[in-house]
Amino acid sequence: MTEFPDTPFGPVSGEDMATWCDLLSDDNQIHLSRAAAEAAGFGPNRVNPGPANLAFLLSAAMAADPEAGVTRIDARFEGNVVEGDHVIARNEGKALALYRDGDDRPVVTASIQFGAIE
Amino acid sequence: MTQEGKQMGHESLPLGRFDLTPERDDLVRRMSGAPVRLDMRAHPIFAFVGALGGLPLPIKDLSEGLGLAFDKGPVLAGCRIDITRPLEVARSYAVAARVEGIERKPSRRFGWADHLHLAIALSDSAPFTDIRLHIIFPATEAP
């Protein structure tokens, strides 16, 4: 696993969430509407799409070793990041984990394999 | 809907397509705080972005066509991505998707939930990436 220091990102913006949704062709309103997020029980702020959270972890690893090739990603989405959040990507040895700043439970954990690919 | 513990058969979707432009890669790198692109290789999250974004229909329409409650706020549970070759910018990829299964299970959060498993591969003349997605949809009743 690529070594890297705790890497902060954020604040996560609602505008970026809409861009992610456009790229993903994802109309899930919890990412686009505060009212929809609240109605679905996520609280008063829009919810960052899961792939956007995973991208933070990958970006932290890429910054540490831009030449590294990723061959496998195994990710679990265990919590949510909402607009305004600051997050921290952390290398925990066997896995990478993304935390909301100040929380002790990860929102995403990912085992990432690096190696030579074509 | 299927019975608890019993999965639907595998159903393939019509082929889709995803254009991985340099502008899209630049956008994703900016939003995710990634380093600038050094060569033609795109950010690896495009194995996910291209898979969903290149489906022949939006995930909302696919889900509702399968009888799943997209408007109730589905959540992403997990994914496994295998990368045979790195995706590159300025290329267009064929997107082959199939429904691997739908299963209704008890849920602490929702009471009941439908678990959708999708497999989506991106290829050119050769395979590039393969992703297996697990998405959970709230359900209102037992099977």
Side-chain angles (χ1 to χ4, degrees), chain A residues 9 15-17 19-20 22-31 40-42 49-52 54-60 62-64 66-78 80 113 117-118, chain B residues 18 24 27-35 38-39 41-46 48-50 52-54 57-61 70-86 109-110 134:
Chain A
F9 299 96
E15 188 177 323
D16 283 355
M17 292 180 198
T19 303
W20 279 106
D22 186 48
L23 288 165
L24 293 158
S25 296
D26 182 354
D27 295 331
N28 190 340
Q29 292 298 304
I30 65 170
H31 308 309
F42 293 98
L54 179 57
F56 285 134
L57 288 180
L58 292 166
S59 293
M62 291 163 69
E67 294 291 338
V70 176
T71 58
R72 174 169 287 175
I73 303 163
D74 207 335
R76 302 292 308 165
F77 299 87
E78 302 171 62
N80 297 299
Q113 292 181 18
I117 47 181
E118 294 176 34
Chain B
F18 185 79
R24 283 176 160 174
L27 200 53
V28 160
R29 286 173 185 271
R30 179 192 62 73
M31 293 190 297
S32 67
L38 297 176
D39 46 32
R41 288 181 296 173
H43 194 292
I45 198 62
F46 273 100
F48 197 131
V49 173
L52 271 199
L57 71 175
I59 186 67
K60 171 182 169 69
D61 296 346
F70 190 89
D71 285 341
K72 299 284 187 186
V75 293
L76 181 61
C79 70
R80 178 169 179 154
I81 301 171
D82 286 296
I83 300 176
T84 305
R85 291 192 289 167
R109 178 168 186 178
F110 303 122
H134 176 194

Side-chain angles (χ1 to χ4, degrees), chain B residues 1 3 9 13 21 26 30 32-33 38 46 51 82 96 107 119 138-139 141:
Chain B
M1 186 52 60
Q3 296 298 305
L13 278 61
T21 65
D26 292 344
R30 179 192 62 73
S32 67
L38 297 176
F46 273 100
D82 286 296
S107 162
E141 58 189 30

Side-chain angles (χ1 to χ4, degrees), chain B residues 73-77 107 110 113-116 134-138:
Chain B
V75 293
L76 181 61
S107 162
F110 303 122
D114 292 324
H115 294 246
L116 170 65
H134 176 194
I135 306 172
I136 300 174
F137 296 77

